[in-house]
Every structure is written in C-alpha cells, then in structure tokens.
Amino acid sequence: MNLSMSGIDWTHAPLALREQASFPPEQLAEVMGAISAAHGVEGCAILSTCNRTEIYVDAAGPADPPWRLFVRETGLDLPESAFVSRVDEDAVRHLLEVAGGLHSRIFGDDQILSQVRTAMDRSLESGAGSALLNMLFRTAVTVGKRIKTQVRFTSTTSSAAAAAVCALGDLAGKSALVVGNGEIARLAAGMLLKRGARVTMTLRTYRHGENQIPEGCETVAYADRMAAAEGVDLLLSATASPHLTVTAQQFSELRTPPGAVVDLAVPRDIDPGVRGLVPRFWDVDDLGGIETAAPEQLEQARSLVEEGVQEVLRWRERRLSRGESAYFPLFLDLRGRRVVLAGGGTIASRRINVLRQFGCDLTVISPHLKLEADWFTWLPRAYEPGDLEGAFLAIAATDSREINRAIGEEAHRRGILVSVADCMEECSFFFPAVCTGGGVVAGVVSSGKSHRKTAVAAKKIRTVLEDLT
C-alpha cells in the first residue's frame, strides 16, 4: 500500500506546458482506468485544474512512477523533469495543503476544494478508486473545509474569476460577453453583474433545468458569439473546450473589438495572438501568484494539515496491521424495513438506485440531492443525532468525514448495521456491487483495496446472470 504522486503546476510549469497535460473529463476517466489496471497499481486519481495536473497512485508493490504511467497512457512527450514527484507522507501532506488553497495561484482559492472532491468522484466513477485514495481525498476535503472555516485568510481575491474582475476596475454600465456556461463562467458572470456590468452569456444548447444562468444575464447562442462580441467592453471566455473559442483571425475581423479580453481556460480558449490586438489582455498566468497569508494564518492552516496527515497515516497503519480479509456474504430481506441513508452526492445516488430494487422504506437525509425523490422520503437537511431511531440499516455516504463517523458511532450504539462509505473500519456491513438476473442476486466486495477489481468482477457476473432464464 504505497502512495506516490507526480504533478505539473503553475509554480514550475508555464501555461503552454500545463495545457498539454489538461484533458477533458471523459478522457481523464479513461486514463485513470488504464493506469489503475497497470501492473502493481491498485488505484489512481487525477486532480486537474487550470493551474495543475496531479496524478496520485496507490500501488500494492513495485510500479512505474505516476508521471511515467501518465505520459504512457496520454501519449504526451514530456520528460520526468516536467513533473514534481512525492511519495507517502509528503504526497499526503501536499494534497491536503492543495485542498486548503495553500498552493493555489490565488492564495486560499475557493474553487480548489470542489475540484479535489470532483477528482475523487471521477476516480470512483471510472472504477479507478481504491480504499487508500478514497480515504486520502476525503480527508483532504475535510481538512480543506476546516481551513476555510477556521482560518481567515486576508487575501483580497478568492478565485481567478475574482482576480480578473478586480483587475478590470470600474464596470458600472459596461457591457460584457462571457463565453461558456460552466462553473467558472457562471462565477465570473455573477461577479460582473455585481460590479454593475451588463452581461451576456453564450449557450451551446438550452435544456430546461440543465443550464444555470445567473439572474440578470442575457443569453446568446454559442454560434453567434462573434456577432455578440461586436462593440462590447469586455470579452471573457471560460469553457472546457479543447478548441479555441476565439481565433486571432476572428478577433481581427471585428469592426469594434472589445477593449479588454480575459481567458480563464486551460487549455486556452482565446488565441494567444489576440494579446497583441487588444489594449488589455489577461490569461490565468497573469492573475494571482502574489498574495499570501500572514505567518500566524499559515501556522494555523498547516497545523490543521498535520492533523489530517496523521489521520491518514494512522488509517493506513491500521489497514496494514489487519492484512488481507475475506468477508462472509449475508443476504437480507429489506421489504418494508426502515433504511436511513445520509448523503446526496454521487456515491449516495448509486446506493439509492441499488436499494430501489429491494423494497425498503428508505429515508435520505441531505441538504442537496442529485436524484428525484420519487420513491423514497427526502429530508432536505444535514444529519442530526437521533435520525437513526428505528432503522434496520444505516448508510453514511456524505462528503464529511466527521458526519460519517458520527453516523457510524450512533449506529453502533443502537445496534444498527451500518456502512460507512469512507472508512471500512467503521462499517459493520459492506455495501456490495449488486448483480441481478434470472431471479438471482449476487453481491461482490473485495478486500477494500481496489474498487476497480470489484467493478470488473461485477461486470463479468452480470453478463452471466443476464443469460439466465
């Protein structure tokens, strides 16, 4: 159970190099799956943002370093010197500091925490996760939250979008076109609106309920973006597209070009040649990298990081001392039984969809929910002590280590079987990969080291069950 990581980030790699290592989510999922299937590798997770690409690998034994696995699976022609690598405790400490915004170009960046959580979710969804990586990334999210709430950094900006808006100065009455409708684009548009700008956003397609448009924004079809850019004061682009949204040729053909251009994307959205055609131009490397925290704030944040590091190391030591385990399969009749599930994210949603098949009386507790509550009871709030009263089973699948631990403790006190998604030591049962077909139900679990092995085995079993009549 060896942890290692390799990364490219803004502290040593320019934008032109970083964008080579930036890939769309669907391709990252393929890369993580391929790396996790490599010899000696138990799991892989990739953290990809505009300022960094970091590959974390959990290896059961000798394995190629993460940078080599990454360039092999992506086809990149990058030497080892392009990456910074860390192992074991140093790798743990680095991720926890990253999640707290201590290594962001915009010091204390508000967006990095959700990006770390997304990296964990994508690893699990691609079947590349492992128990160690799951524990590591969940701890990083928890530590990042603690830093955000307990340490008050004095930075004036909290994201690249905020830094760009601040750099633009007085925006009252100015017009702006925002190309993109993702998280960063929406954040930028909302900030521009608050500063008094008139904002138009591009949409590639419109489906009711899928496009979240900040109140007060006008919209225009993405295909009409250049016509909409005519005469605006500001053009800002922030998409996840691997292609340019604005070329130098397109920009030069505008009769009245924007006076300021901001490119918040990696890979870049706007042709670098536009820089010479406009009075004011910023990309992500022009924003941030100056501010830091006061020494006492850094000390407080790093103290919280060290607590998280020790938590991960203790968890790993417990796993190593236990060695391999095989678990006795037990099948339960859940019809009409009360099941309480806390959580509303990706893992919780998968658990809910599985439980649908077994007739339980399910209560889901979560402030937010990805699924429609069409067959179960949804309590739109956080878990509270006492919520497990009368439950037969409990499932803790929130993104908070503290809440999941509290649910596990309450369940154990009440004698309720509980599955804790981010800590197998706190489970009294393990939620399996469920396979059904031909009136047969099979459940698959592993030793907890490799989610990918479980997923592969379950897929093969489902193929067999589908042929039963």
Side-chain angles (χ1 to χ4, degrees):
M1 194 186 300
N2 303 307
L3 178 69
S4 58
M5 65 80 63
S6 298
I8 291 176
D9 66 52
W10 69 276
T11 61
H12 69 280
L15 177 56
L17 192 154
R18 297 200 310 277
E19 64 185 357
Q20 292 182 52
S22 180
F23 296 93
E26 59 274 12
Q27 189 169 353
L28 280 180
E30 294 177 2
V31 171
M32 284 188 288
I35 290 177
S36 68
H39 176 71
V41 175
E42 294 289 348
C44 173
I46 298 178
L47 172 62
S48 179
T49 76
C50 61
N51 284 315
R52 67 184 66 251
T53 297
E54 297 183 346
I55 307 95
Y56 291 80
V57 169
D58 173 17
D64 285 335
W67 72 268
R68 183 171 293 152
L69 294 166
F70 183 69
V71 298
R72 185 174 70 203
E73 297 302 333
T74 58
L76 288 174
D77 184 18
L78 293 176
E80 181 179 5
S81 59
F83 298 84
V84 173
S85 296
R86 302 171 180 87
V87 298
D88 294 327
E89 185 174 335
D90 287 339
V92 173
R93 182 174 293 104
H94 175 74
L95 180 61
L96 270 56
E97 290 179 348
V98 166
L102 305 188
H103 294 300
S104 296
R105 192 177 189 92
I106 306 296
F107 192 85
D109 184 2
D110 283 344
Q111 292 178 285
I112 187 64
L113 194 56
S114 65
Q115 292 164 334
V116 171
R117 185 185 295 111
T118 296
M120 176 187 69
D121 289 343
R122 286 175 178 165
S123 174
L124 292 172
E125 290 168 1
S126 67
S130 72
L132 174 60
L133 291 175
N134 192 24
M135 171 60 178
L136 171 62
F137 274 75
R138 284 189 175 274
T139 302
V141 170
T142 298
V143 169
K145 286 181 177 179
R146 289 174 183 164
I147 291 174
K148 299 297 181 188
T149 56
Q150 298 179 32
V151 183
R152 299 299 181 185
F153 292 133
T154 55
S155 300
T156 58
T157 55
S158 58
S159 66
V165 172
C166 287
L168 290 166
D170 184 14
L171 295 172
K174 300 291 181 66
S175 57
L177 173 66
V178 176
V179 180
N181 188 240
E183 181 181 355
I184 296 175
R186 294 195 301 271
L187 178 62
M191 292 179 176
L192 291 169
L193 286 167
K194 289 181 180 178
R195 296 284 294 274
R198 304 189 310 276
V199 182
T200 300
M201 295 188 72
T202 66
L203 296 178
R204 287 187 181 272
T205 57
Y206 183 84
R207 296 184 180 89
H208 182 69
E210 293 187 14
N211 299 104
Q212 300 175 19
I213 303 164
E215 186 176 355
C217 276
E218 300 292 332
T219 61
V220 65
Y222 174 80
D224 298 328
R225 64 193 182 284
M226 296 314 299
E230 192 72 59
V232 299
D233 296 298
L234 165 68
L235 170 63
L236 184 149
S237 192
T239 77
S241 171
H243 310 294
L244 294 174
T245 59
V246 179
T247 66
Q249 178 66 32
Q250 289 172 319
F251 193 87
S252 67
E253 292 173 354
L254 292 173
R255 296 186 302 276
T256 308
V261 173
V262 177
D263 186 351
L264 296 180
V266 178
R268 283 171 282 194
D269 274 351
I270 297 177
D271 191 329
V274 170
R275 186 183 289 270
L277 303 176
V278 63
R280 299 194 294 169
F281 184 102
W282 295 270
D283 60 27
V284 292
D285 275 6
D286 299 316
L287 302 165
I290 299 174
E291 294 178 332
T292 185
E296 60 271 17
Q297 294 172 331
L298 281 175
E299 183 178 356
Q300 185 182 3
R302 286 179 173 145
S303 175
L304 293 172
V305 166
E306 287 308 311
E307 290 178 9
V309 170
Q310 295 309 312
E311 184 176 349
V312 174
L313 295 180
R314 286 194 297 269
W315 180 92
R316 188 170 69 166
E317 287 303 313
R318 289 196 299 269
R319 289 291 306 279
L320 290 172
S321 64
R322 287 177 57 178
E324 293 289 334
S325 298
Y327 303 112
F328 180 76
L330 180 67
F331 293 85
L332 304 171
D333 184 358
L334 294 183
R335 289 173 296 179
R337 301 267 196 165
R338 174 170 161 76
V339 177
V340 176
L341 183 151
T346 301
I347 295 175
S349 297
R350 287 204 297 264
R351 301 286 193 264
I352 293 169
N353 284 330
V354 170
L355 290 169
R356 178 192 288 268
Q357 307 172 64
F358 298 99
C360 64
D361 177 14
L362 178 64
T363 297
V364 176
I365 304 171
S366 176
H368 307 287
L369 194 62
K370 286 188 174 183
L371 300 177
E372 183 179 351
D374 54 353
W375 68 275
F376 55 88
T377 300
W378 175 33
L379 302 181
R381 58 170 174 79
Y383 156 83
E384 299 173 356
D387 279 339
L388 302 188
E389 178 71 35
F392 177 65
L393 290 182
I395 300 166
T398 77
D399 59 8
S400 167
R401 178 83 278 272
E402 287 89 347
I403 293 177
N404 288 344
R405 181 190 291 118
I407 293 170
E409 291 174 351
E410 179 179 348
H412 289 304
R413 287 195 304 270
R414 293 178 178 272
I416 298 169
L417 294 172
V418 63
S419 171
V420 182
D422 60 350
C423 186
M424 61 184 302
E425 284 79 9
E426 295 173 8
C427 295
S428 52
F429 81 95
F430 301 101
F431 204 102
V434 174
C435 314
T436 60
V440 174
V441 177
V444 184
V445 296
S446 68
S447 62
K449 292 175 64 177
S450 175
H451 294 288
R452 182 170 180 81
K453 289 180 180 178
T454 302
V456 170
K459 183 176 180 180
K460 292 180 178 180
I461 293 171
R462 290 188 183 105
T463 300
V464 172
L465 295 184
E466 287 170 359
D467 293 334
L468 295 178
T469 57

